[in-house]
């Protein structure tokens, strides 16, 4: 039987990675959807409305998955990590509660108007609702990333010892709310995470539209959406690189162990530090096999100075070192994919500008597959950040010159929960999530294959809907259905 | 503000969130429970689902916010309750996921087998979720085997016995009744007539269980009435509760379904208040030794956090309420199917 710690970590990693497939897409798609609707609102062109209605349908499927899998995370803090919850509740809980009250109500409320309100509210109200849903999902990310960042770089708190039935037990208490919210890594991590989501959304729209062009379908809608999606993909991939660089630079002060793990930098020396491009880290022998190393570059990137050596893993006490292989590989994967995405987005924009994009089938196909790259990069970044902070669940930190204790992951567990219980929940959720994933892919594919209505179909649908509601007003027995779109339930 | 008062305010606010959740998700869980029985064909099934279509997601947010607020205001209670109910809560999560995706996916493919699958999923998850919420409530009412340092020493089997199961049945029947009244408001013609018949049947079922659970509580949970005995003014809650229960058939008889829905909401609010009164000042009473109980005092956050959160709530709640009202207003009236429907 495996032990509770490993199982609980597996369970948390699994459920959060599955959850994390959806919110970034919701955030990214939210922006694209808003831009489509804004264009509709300004031009009143039915093709823009058809596009917005189509992306709404895709958005709704994805959003429902995000909501459904998100509640699991909130419950798991209490069910599996009770000791952690008692330790951080004073700090972490308020961010979570703020998310509920400031973000969830906003997004779920206006989601109703976004999804079900097309024929009930005017374009202005609908546009406003779309904006609110987009902002709501951004606020949600804000509070979650703040809560997570506090664990990585805690601030604005002190440790209080409480007498729990005869045993003195520590817990973190907030001393400054804003100090906690704006902890040293909040802003950097937040911008990088949000931009990662916007990259995914832009590439997702670009991908589906490029697919339509390849298959000779829905040209009108596809071209319009591409004119928004491609430039935003380029903008956000570049911004992702900039913000990623900023985040990494901070690590040398806040979490040197994570930085050393990401670079598999085992030995500190007086020489400037090089950057490893590829390799296979071997923790036991403290070396990297098959590596290609560029001299001076890591020092330059971290300190903006090629000569200052970067501290390595040997500066970290042995029992506080994170695993190296996984953060190294996921970090390099993320950077590699990011570079590739900048390249593809740049090429696509250039040829779009030259009006040759639609002839370059290889480029269209490349863009079709970019959402996978973006999603993988998001996941890889998350793994780097979370595995790189082990064995700490809450990092130790220095507040006003006083050293504060941290909390190790192993000490955060629920003591009353057995390995058997965790294992059965992993199996249960493994089955449910596999089923869900299959259904999600299937339904999403269905939506994409069906595609948007054309401008004319939409105009016809609206005419029928109007006729129906008129006949009802005058007490005649109007048809109960308003045309093909109703029958189909094509939402 | 005084620490004791702040603590009490947060206990009340959590009660408000729980009440809001029970009233709002109560009717859509109820609609899910009734779904296979009340709708005869595919169009009616879609109507029933779409009656809660724009609303269920927002309703569930009350539970999420309740969880977050409990975590923040009383972390020890959050940690202890959630880890004690490990298996039950994972089943509840399964149900909440199942419900969300059943609603979302059902109408996406046009084959009878596909729809049947999600119909069953929708019913089972709605019913089980309502039932499990009741079982958890019953266990918390009766107290649990809490050992030293807030460590739960019981297991799933010690949570599944006659009293919580009865409370589970009561909750499911109340939500079903609440949902039936909601459906009566949102439907027309034949479907509405069927909803009317369900209201009558469910009312008898619920009223019967209400009497049984009241007696069972007197017998099995003697401490539940202590607070009422100490503060006789609190008698007002069970009395109003009983009156509200009786008012449901009266309002329906008078032909005022909106009033009946308001009344069933008040019944739920009264139950939530009774529950809070019964457990106060504990979150989880230890049946092993009262000294091990999780109380308001030993579970709460620091004064600063409670104060900050109160500011957050004061800013946030009016916003939440105003857009909740806007959304319910936009989707008022009888449910109709259009191209955006499930």
């Amino acid at each position: 039987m495996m032990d509770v710690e490993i199982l609980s970590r597996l369970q948390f990693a699994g459920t959060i990675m599955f959850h994390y497939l959806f919110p970034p897409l919701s955030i990214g798609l939210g922006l694209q959807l808003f831009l489509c609707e804004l264009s509709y609102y300004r031009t009143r062109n039915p093709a823009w409305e058809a596009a917005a209605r189509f992306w709404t349908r895709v958005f709704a499927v994805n959003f429902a998955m995000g909501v459904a899998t998100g509640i699991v995370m909130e419950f798991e803090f209490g069910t599996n990590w009770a000791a952690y919850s008692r330790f951080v509740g004073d700090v972490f809980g308020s961010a979570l509660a703020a998310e509920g009250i400031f973000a969830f109500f906003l997004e779920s409320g206006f989601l109703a108007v976004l999804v079900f309100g097309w024929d009930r509210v005017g374009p202005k109200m609908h546009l406003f609702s779309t904006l609110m849903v987009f902002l709501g999902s951004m606020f949600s990310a804000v509070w979650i990333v703040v809560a997570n960042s506090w664990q990585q770089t805690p601030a604005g708190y002190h440790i209080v010892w409480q007498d729990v039935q005869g045993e003195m037990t520590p817990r973190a208490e907030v001393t400054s709310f804003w100090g906690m919210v704006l902890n040293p890594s909040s802003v950097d991590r937040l911008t990088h995470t949000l931009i990662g989501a916007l990259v995914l959304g832009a590439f997702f729209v670009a991908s589906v539209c490029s697919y339509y062009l390849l298959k000779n379908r829905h040209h009108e809608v596809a071209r319009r959406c591409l004119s928004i999606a491609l430039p935003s993909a380029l903008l956000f991939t570049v911004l992702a690189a900039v913000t990623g660089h900023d985040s990494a630079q901070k690590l040398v002060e806040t979490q040197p162990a994570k930085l050393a793990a990401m670079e598999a930098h085992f030995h500190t020396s007086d020489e400037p530090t090089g950057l490893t491009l590829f390799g296979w880290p071997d923790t036991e022998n403290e070396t990297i096999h098959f590596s290609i190393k560029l001299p001076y570059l890591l020092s330059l990137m971290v300190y903006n100075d090629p000569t200052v050596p970067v501290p390595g893993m040997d500066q970290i006490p042995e029992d506080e070192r994170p695993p190296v292989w996984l953060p190294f590989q996921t970090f390099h994967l993320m950077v590699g994919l990011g570079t590739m995405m900048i390249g593809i987005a740049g090429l696509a924009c250039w040829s779009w500008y030259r009006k040759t994009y639609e002839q370059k089938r290889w480029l269209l196909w490349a863009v079709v597959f970019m959402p996978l790259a973006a999603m993988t990069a998001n996941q890889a970044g998350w793994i780097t950040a979370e595995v790189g902070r082990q064995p700490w669940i809450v990092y130790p930190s220095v507040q006003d010159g006083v050293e504060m204790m941290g909390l190790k992951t192993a000490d955060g567990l629920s003591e009353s929960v057995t390995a058997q219980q965790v294992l059965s929940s992993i199996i249960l959720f493994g089955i449910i999530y596999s089923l869900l994933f299959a259904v999600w892919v299937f339904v999403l594919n269905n939506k994409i294959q069906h595609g948007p209505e054309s401008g004319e179909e939409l105009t016809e649908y609206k005419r029928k809907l109007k006729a129906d509601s008129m006949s009802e007003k005058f007490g005649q027995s109007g048809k109960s259905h308003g045309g093909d779109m109703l029958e189909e339930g094509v939402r | 503000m005084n620490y004791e008062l702040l603590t009490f305010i947060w206990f009340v606010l959590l009660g408000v969130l729980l009440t809001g959740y029970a009233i709002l998700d109560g009717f859509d869980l109820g609609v899910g429970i009734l779904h296979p029985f009340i709708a005869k064909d595919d169009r009616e099934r879609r109507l029933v689902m779409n009656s809660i279509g724009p609303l269920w997601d927002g309703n569930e947010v009350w539970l999420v916010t309740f969880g977050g607020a409990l975590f923040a205001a009383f972390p020890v209670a959050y940690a202890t309750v959630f880890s004690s109910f490990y298996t039950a809560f994972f089943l509840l999560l399964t149900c909440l996921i199942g419900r969300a995706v059943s609603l979302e996916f059902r109408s996406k493919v046009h084959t009878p087998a596909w729809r049947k699958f999600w119909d069953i999923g929708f019913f089972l998850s709605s019913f089980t979720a309502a039932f499990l919420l009741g079982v958890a409530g019953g266990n918390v009412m009766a107290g649990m085997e809490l050992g030293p340092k807030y460590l739960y020493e019981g297991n799933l089997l010690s949570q599944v016995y006659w009293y919580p199961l009865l409370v589970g049945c009561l909750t499911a029947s109340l939500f079903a009744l609440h949902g039936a009244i909601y459906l009566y408001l949102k439907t027309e013609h034949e479907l509405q007539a069927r909803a009317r018949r369900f209201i009558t049947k469910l009312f008898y079922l619920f009223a019967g269980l209400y009497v049984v659970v009241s007696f069972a509580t007197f017998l099995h949970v003697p401490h539940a009435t202590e607070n009422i005995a100490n503060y006789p003014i609190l008698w007002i809650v069970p009395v109003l509760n009983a009156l509200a229960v009786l008012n449901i058939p009266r309002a329906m008889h008078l032909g005022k379904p909106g009033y009946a829905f308001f009344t069933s909401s008040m019944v739920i609010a009264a139950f939530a208040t009774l529950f809070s009164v019964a457990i106060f000042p504990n979150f989880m009473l230890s049946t092993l030794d009262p000294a091990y109980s999780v109380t308001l005092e030993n579970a709460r956050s620091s004064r600063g956090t409670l104060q900050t959160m109160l500011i957050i709530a004061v800013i946030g709640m009016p916003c939440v309420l105003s857009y909740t009202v806007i959304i319910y207003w936009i989707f008022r009236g009888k449910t109709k199917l259009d191209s955006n429907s499930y």
Side-chain angles (χ1 to χ4, degrees):
Chain A
M1 181 56 85
M2 290 169 93
D3 74 323
V4 182
E5 188 199 340
I6 294 293
L7 285 171
S8 281
R9 281 176 61 183
L10 269 179
Q11 182 207 41
F12 198 82
T15 46
I16 207 162
M17 282 173 74
F18 189 69
H19 172 63
Y20 200 57
L21 293 174
F22 311 107
L25 188 52
S26 292
I27 295 172
L29 209 48
L31 178 66
Q32 300 295 315
L33 183 59
F34 174 71
L35 294 176
C36 279
E37 269 204 70
L38 190 65
S39 309
Y40 167 61
Y41 186 73
R42 288 182 148 175
T43 62
R44 293 300 158 117
N45 186 319
W48 276 123
E49 187 184 4
R53 280 183 184 246
F54 171 66
W55 295 120
T56 304
R57 295 200 287 266
V58 175
F59 182 86
V61 174
N62 188 62
F63 194 90
M65 292 287 283
V67 172
T69 53
I71 308 179
V72 180
M73 314 319 311
E74 191 197 31
F75 273 48
E76 274 179 357
F77 294 127
T79 53
N80 290 64
W81 305 96
Y84 154 85
S85 297
R86 292 190 193 103
F87 183 80
V88 302
D90 200 78
V91 184
F92 193 89
S94 43
L96 218 58
E99 183 194 19
I101 212 153
F102 290 136
F104 285 155
F105 278 111
L106 189 68
E107 51 188 348
S108 67
F110 286 98
L111 179 77
V113 185
L114 171 63
V115 174
F116 297 93
W118 277 106
D119 304 320
R120 273 184 183 257
V121 298
K124 203 177 206 164
M125 177 65 190
H126 202 271
L127 179 67
F128 176 73
S129 304
T130 311
L131 181 64
M132 288 300 117
V133 173
F134 171 60
L135 288 180
S137 57
M138 297 263 277
F139 293 159
S140 205
V142 169
W143 291 107
I144 283 303
V145 175
V146 160
N148 183 285
S149 298
W150 181 83
Q151 292 170 205
Q152 313 258 0
T153 54
Y157 73 114
H158 61 179
I159 299 287
V160 176
W161 290 84
Q162 278 182 323
D163 184 359
V164 176
Q165 285 141 17
E167 191 180 315
M168 295 308 276
T169 313
R171 80 164 182 179
E173 278 190 3
V174 180
T175 50
S176 151
F177 180 73
W178 292 111
M180 180 271 281
V181 171
L182 299 171
N183 65 69
S185 67
S186 281
V187 176
D188 280 322
R189 302 179 80 242
L190 184 63
T191 44
H192 190 57
T193 311
L194 281 178
I195 286 167
L198 298 177
V199 168
L200 177 60
F203 269 129
F204 186 84
V205 170
S207 158
V208 173
C209 293
S210 302
Y211 177 76
Y212 287 153
L213 292 180
L214 280 165
K215 296 282 160 188
N216 241 339
R217 285 187 236 160
H218 315 294
H219 291 100
E220 199 187 0
V221 169
R223 288 198 188 107
R224 279 172 200 277
C225 291
L226 276 170
S227 70
I228 293 176
L230 288 180
S232 40
L234 180 59
L235 173 69
F236 294 133
T237 44
V238 172
L239 284 178
V242 175
T243 52
H245 175 67
D246 279 349
S247 297
Q249 274 197 329
K250 291 273 170 61
L251 284 179
V252 76
E253 285 162 36
T254 54
Q255 294 173 296
K258 188 193 277 186
L259 181 69
M262 280 154 62
E263 283 300 329
H265 180 36
F266 291 108
H267 306 286
T268 317
S269 70
D270 300 332
E271 303 286 301
T273 319
L275 183 78
T276 309
L277 285 184
F278 300 99
W280 193 268
D282 177 350
T283 314
E284 217 160 286
N285 302 317
E286 304 203 328
T287 176
I288 315 175
H289 303 299
F290 321 113
S291 65
I292 297 177
K293 206 165 188 170
L294 301 180
Y296 300 106
L297 205 56
L298 187 62
S299 293
L300 178 69
M301 290 183 84
V302 170
Y303 293 111
N304 298 326
D305 176 348
T307 57
V308 186
V310 177
M313 199 60 103
D314 50 5
Q315 305 287 309
I316 314 294
E318 208 151 328
D319 60 337
E320 292 178 15
R321 291 180 195 170
V324 172
W325 191 87
L326 199 55
F328 176 88
Q329 298 298 5
T330 51
F331 174 66
H332 285 78
L333 181 66
M334 174 178 75
V335 174
L337 288 171
T339 316
M340 178 181 78
M341 288 189 283
I342 295 179
I344 298 282
L347 273 176
C349 281
W350 175 245
S351 56
W352 180 265
Y353 173 72
R354 300 281 306 272
K355 304 212 187 307
T356 56
Y357 181 65
E358 290 177 39
Q359 282 91 56
K360 290 193 175 125
R361 292 185 68 87
W362 67 270
L363 188 57
L364 288 166
W365 276 115
V367 171
V368 167
F369 285 103
M370 277 306 106
L372 284 180
M375 210 163 234
T376 312
N378 280 340
Q379 296 276 353
W382 182 81
I383 296 172
T384 311
E386 297 302 280
V387 178
R389 73 168 151 148
Q390 299 302 330
W392 300 103
I393 197 166
V394 177
Y395 240 73
S397 74
V398 178
Q399 303 290 309
D400 307 322
V402 184
E403 196 133 344
M404 297 280 167
M405 67 180 291
L407 183 70
K408 287 205 168 155
T409 310
D411 301 329
L413 290 162
S414 303
E415 287 178 62
S416 60
V417 171
T418 62
Q420 187 118 37
Q421 280 176 308
V422 186
L423 189 63
S424 31
S425 79
I426 292 180
I427 295 170
L428 176 71
F429 274 69
I431 296 169
I432 296 173
Y433 279 6
S434 317
L435 176 76
L436 279 188
F437 187 72
V439 171
W440 177 68
V441 170
F442 176 70
V443 169
L444 204 60
N445 183 50
N446 246 355
K447 297 277 133 213
I448 293 170
Q449 296 302 338
H450 182 281
E453 286 79 41
S454 67
E456 297 91 70
E457 274 169 335
L458 200 59
T459 318
E460 174 67 5
Y461 161 73
K462 284 187 163 178
R463 200 186 53 74
K464 279 192 178 163
L465 203 68
K466 207 169 180 183
D468 268 3
S469 67
M470 291 295 275
S471 64
E472 213 160 81
K473 261 182 203 155
F474 295 111
Q476 294 159 5
S477 55
K479 279 187 297 170
S480 56
H481 306 302
D484 290 350
M485 278 176 69
L486 293 190
E487 287 289 349
E488 290 289 316
V490 288
R491 219 193 92 204
Chain B
M1 200 184 280
N2 171 326
Y3 197 10
E4 302 307 316
L5 180 63
L6 261 175
T7 312
F8 184 71
I9 289 176
W10 268 104
F11 184 70
V12 173
L13 282 178
L14 283 170
V16 171
L17 284 170
L18 190 64
T19 310
Y21 170 70
I23 290 176
L24 295 174
D25 215 29
F27 75 73
D28 63 48
L29 285 169
V31 166
I33 295 173
L34 293 170
H35 182 253
F37 307 108
I38 211 164
K40 292 294 170 212
D41 56 32
D42 190 58
R43 192 180 143 270
E44 287 190 353
R45 293 212 177 92
R46 287 185 66 197
L47 275 173
V48 168
M49 283 188 152
N50 280 290
S51 72
I52 58 167
L55 308 173
W56 67 267
D57 182 24
N59 296 342
E60 219 167 88
V61 171
W62 288 80
L63 178 67
V64 178
T65 308
F66 171 80
L70 183 66
F71 193 174
F74 300 98
V76 174
Y78 168 83
T80 309
V81 172
F82 276 53
S83 56
S84 307
F85 283 115
Y86 190 88
T87 309
F89 277 13
F90 268 93
L91 284 178
L92 178 64
L93 284 172
T94 309
C95 293
L96 295 177
I97 294 175
R99 244 164 69 80
V101 294
S102 302
L103 276 160
E104 192 55 47
F105 290 148
R106 182 188 181 278
S107 293
K108 298 290 187 276
V109 176
H110 301 269
T111 62
W114 174 273
R115 294 194 167 187
K116 187 98 203 159
F117 178 82
W118 296 112
D119 280 343
I120 294 172
F122 184 46
F123 164 72
L124 277 181
S125 51
S126 301
F127 175 79
T128 316
F131 185 73
L132 284 172
L133 286 168
V135 172
N139 272 305
V140 172
M141 278 281 281
M144 293 172 78
E145 293 151 310
L146 212 55
K149 302 189 191 95
Y150 317 121
L151 291 187
Y152 180 57
E153 293 179 357
N155 53 43
L156 184 64
L157 287 180
S158 47
Q159 294 165 15
V160 184
Y161 65 98
W162 66 274
Y163 181 73
L165 293 179
L166 261 182
V167 180
C169 294
L170 179 74
T171 314
S173 70
L174 175 57
F175 285 177
L177 174 65
H178 192 46
I181 302 174
Y182 176 77
L183 272 180
Y184 183 85
L185 285 167
K186 297 296 277 187
T187 54
E188 300 169 288
H189 313 306
E190 214 185 310
L191 185 56
Q192 190 184 32
R194 234 175 283 139
R196 181 71 186 86
R197 289 197 289 278
F198 268 94
I199 294 175
T200 313
K201 283 185 208 157
L202 284 167
F203 178 75
Y204 287 124
L205 177 66
F206 162 69
L209 283 165
Y210 173 64
V211 174
V212 174
V213 171
S214 301
F215 275 110
T217 307
F218 269 107
L219 289 175
H220 182 65
V221 196
H223 62 260
T225 44
E226 263 170 35
N227 282 321
I228 299 187
N230 293 341
Y231 302 92
I233 179 94
L234 291 173
W235 268 108
I236 201 164
V237 187
V239 170
L240 284 179
N241 191 8
L243 287 176
V245 170
L246 292 173
N247 196 42
I248 294 174
R250 178 171 162 271
M252 286 310 294
H253 186 71
L254 290 173
K256 292 180 179 163
Y259 183 40
F261 185 71
F262 173 75
T263 311
S264 64
S265 305
M266 287 305 107
V267 172
I268 294 176
F271 273 122
T273 314
L274 271 179
F275 174 77
S276 312
V277 168
I279 62 169
F280 186 85
N282 297 310
F283 279 100
M284 207 192 251
L285 181 74
S286 169
T287 51
L288 301 179
D289 180 346
Y292 297 150
S293 300
V294 176
T295 65
L296 257 65
E297 206 190 317
N298 64 28
R300 65 189 170 183
S301 280
S302 66
R303 191 168 160 274
T305 292
L306 291 181
Q307 211 154 20
T308 314
M309 296 242 307
L310 193 61
I311 297 169
I312 292 176
V314 166
I315 301 169
M317 275 326 268
C319 305
V320 169
L321 290 176
S322 58
Y323 38 74
T324 305
V325 169
I326 295 174
I327 307 306
Y328 273 77
W329 174 252
I330 290 176
F331 294 99
R332 71 194 179 280
K334 302 290 182 189
T335 307
K336 299 262 188 282
L337 296 179
D338 62 27
S339 73
N340 310 311
S341 303
Y342 286 131

